[in-house]
Amino acid sequence: MQKQSEFRRRTGVAIPMLVLLALGLLFFGVYIIASRQADVRLTTRTALIFLGAYVAFSLLACLFFLLREHKERSEENLFETLNTKMHNMFKYAVGLPYAITDEQGRVRVLNSALQSILGAEDPFWHGMLPDFCGGTSLQEIIRTGIGGEDRRTDLGRLTMHTIAMQAENTAAPTETLPASSIDGTVVTLPDGGRYVARAYAVTLNDSISYLVTFTDVSELLDLREKMERDMPAVAYIDVDNLEELTQYTHANYRDASRKVDDVLIGWAADMDGFLREYERDRYIMFFSQEKLRLCEEDKFNALLGRIRDIRLGEYGIPVTVSIGISLDDCSMSERAKEASSALDMALQRGGDQVAVRRREGIRYYGGQTRPFQRRSRVQSRVVASYLLTKISEADNLLIMGHSNPDFDSIGSCVGIAQLGLLAGIPTKIIMDLDNANFRVATERLMGSKIYGDMFISGHKGLDLIRSGTLLIITDANNLRIIESPEVADSVRQVSGKIAIIDHHRQAGEYDFEPVVNYIDPGASSATELVAEMLEQSETGNEIASKLVSDEVASVMLSGIMLDTNGFTRNTGSRTLDAARYLYSNGANAEYVHSFFNQNYNDYVCERSFSGCTLMHNGTVGLTWSQGTGRGADDRVAAAKEADRLLGVKGVCASFALVVVDNVVHISGRSDGSINVQLILEKMGGGGRFDSAGAALTNTSLDTAVEDLKNAVHTYFAEADEAYRGA
């Protein structure tokens, strides 16, 4: 309307002038034509008559335009008068605070409600919007509207309609805000209240102004925050190793269990929570989100440390607990399931830690102690029986380990293949057929009739996938590093049958439900887990004992020897039992040792590690190399250098860095007193407590060394903080 009025004002003078000009030209033309065609010459009197007629017509035209302009101005004045009266009524009668600003956020006028909040006597307040909105600019308010658009929203129209309906009342109109989100910017005004600010564009005098309204949401936000603080978190608590410790130490189970109960009951009291033991050494607890936040700030050091202080036996082995907590935005039953899943994640990562599941993902706290071997023969037998049943139900079986396979990956794959042969279904192992480790380990095996065509590439594996295919992944639980992620993705989509057997800590959650998820970080190797399953499967089965040949047993033994460094690291009674089983089936230790013989390329790669330093009072060693360009050989050399550096007196953890194809690879080793997995997780890696790795892209070797040093310093700082908290 205002643009039309302005247009009429601009054209109000131009149109009459054009009409007068046209009349003048018309009369002048008629006069010229008449003078040329007339027989007698026109006199001056005739010219005056023409001029008088022109003046008369011009006066009539001017009068017409003046009357029209007067009528339009009267209508505009009436509109402006009514608009001003409505504005004054809106300004003083409505309780919703608002301000009118220009495009830069400069305030032009306030209404009485906002004047009262600001303590301003003059409605023509001089200043900027951020001056009383806690620094929030007009542009921020506009951007955070619904859809980020500079327009009046449906909620805005509802608000204005409510205001218009209650314009005669002095009370502020009520407005309903969405429960899940607020379509505006929350600002704090000088009265201490919190308001939702919304901006609506208004055109005044051919310029854009903004009507900024403030809706009081203090009570709503206070209620919402209270609900979030009091939202109950569900926690499942599992004592990791109490029963096992009392079996192998001179300790009374009841006394130890009572000490754990006392610590947990005291912690629950401090948390104002509800704790109940629903099974032996297993508890469930409910407590508020506010208490959970305090525990996360402390990284659960107080609880985990107090539990570790309970030590049993003459060697003072600590008791540990694992906790899974869920605070996801879902029903209570679903929250309980999520907490149970989080507990499984904590246990599969080695225990002695807390897994907290929120809407944005899982965070882990703790994990400072070495995992305890807590599996039993019963567990191995149950897993073996269940897995063998699933294999028997499948149409065919595919097996794979991680890329760049080592002897543990190869040995565990070969061991799983025995279960496929036992079930009598077609079995294939997906492997890098050009890998040096594969060629060395399977030199004799490939000559047999059974294994001659069992190993295939990932490309051929894609052709074997059908609706009944079962895929078993060993020695890895991160699907990004397995031999063929394409095969795994295809199996997940076609059959959905994937089983995982691994001894590394679980790196994260899967986007599918595994048929079997057997992860035990306490095991020395994946081959150890598979050997136990094979041994349990032999019970009462004459065919099974004939399947594990001398060559198969030797390949599997090489996997255990690799990950235990010749039974000198991470070797427990279960490890020796698995080795004994393989020896009883014909494993040849002399032949296996030949797998580890060093060739010239390995020698050159190992000699390239020139840089070396010690950290943290000589307990952490670092060595690095720019690499020799031999690819996988350089990575193998890095692992060997880490093992060699770990043998230096006083060194408890070692790291070897090497550059391979512009990627810095890190191998970490530990004697069990330092968690190298937690250190390398800070750099995007993972693995096990005493053996881990990482791969850094888009970085130089020098930068990677400095980043690793910082990660080591951070690890020890957190460990010291946990000790002080305990």
Side-chain angles (χ1 to χ4, degrees), residues 327-339:
L327 197 64
D328 207 352
D329 188 11
C330 55
S331 65
M332 187 60 69
S333 61
E334 293 175 342
R335 199 173 303 166
K337 293 179 182 178
E338 297 292 345

Side-chain angles (χ1 to χ4, degrees), residues 317-331:
I317 303 175
V319 178
T320 61
V321 297
S322 296
I323 304 176
I325 301 175
S326 175
L327 197 64
D328 207 352
D329 188 11
C330 55
S331 65

Side-chain angles (χ1 to χ4, degrees), residues 505-525:
R505 296 193 182 201
Q506 187 167 338
E509 295 184 276
Y510 311 120
D511 57 356
F512 61 94
E513 184 67 29
V515 174
V516 173
N517 190 33
Y518 186 30
I519 298 178
D520 185 2
S524 68
S525 58

Side-chain angles (χ1 to χ4, degrees), residues 602-713:
D602 294 338
Y603 175 78
V604 172
C605 292
E606 292 177 21
R607 293 276 293 180
S608 67
F609 284 82
S610 56
C612 188
T613 186
L614 294 178
M615 298 176 56
H616 205 266
N617 299 324
T619 59
V620 178
L622 275 67
T623 182
W624 55 87
S625 167
Q626 285 288 348
T628 63
R630 290 178 170 84
D633 292 338
D634 283 329
R635 295 183 57 187
V636 173
K640 292 181 178 180
E641 282 299 308
D643 286 327
R644 182 176 304 173
L645 185 56
L646 189 62
V648 175
K649 186 176 181 179
V651 174
C652 300
S654 61
F655 299 90
L657 300 87
V658 64
V659 180
V660 179
D661 297 330
N662 297 321
V663 177
V664 180
H665 292 269
I666 306 176
S667 291
R669 298 291 185 268
S670 168
D671 64 358
S673 61
I674 296 175
N675 192 339
V676 293
Q677 184 208 7
L678 289 183
I679 295 174
L680 292 183
E681 275 185 350
K682 301 179 187 301
M683 305 182 69
R688 303 176 62 249
F689 191 99
D690 57 358
S691 178
L696 309 180
T697 58
N698 301 321
T699 187
S700 65
L701 180 61
D702 294 337
T703 302
V705 171
E706 292 302 318
D707 291 344
L708 179 57
K709 290 180 180 179
N710 293 333
V712 171
H713 288 310

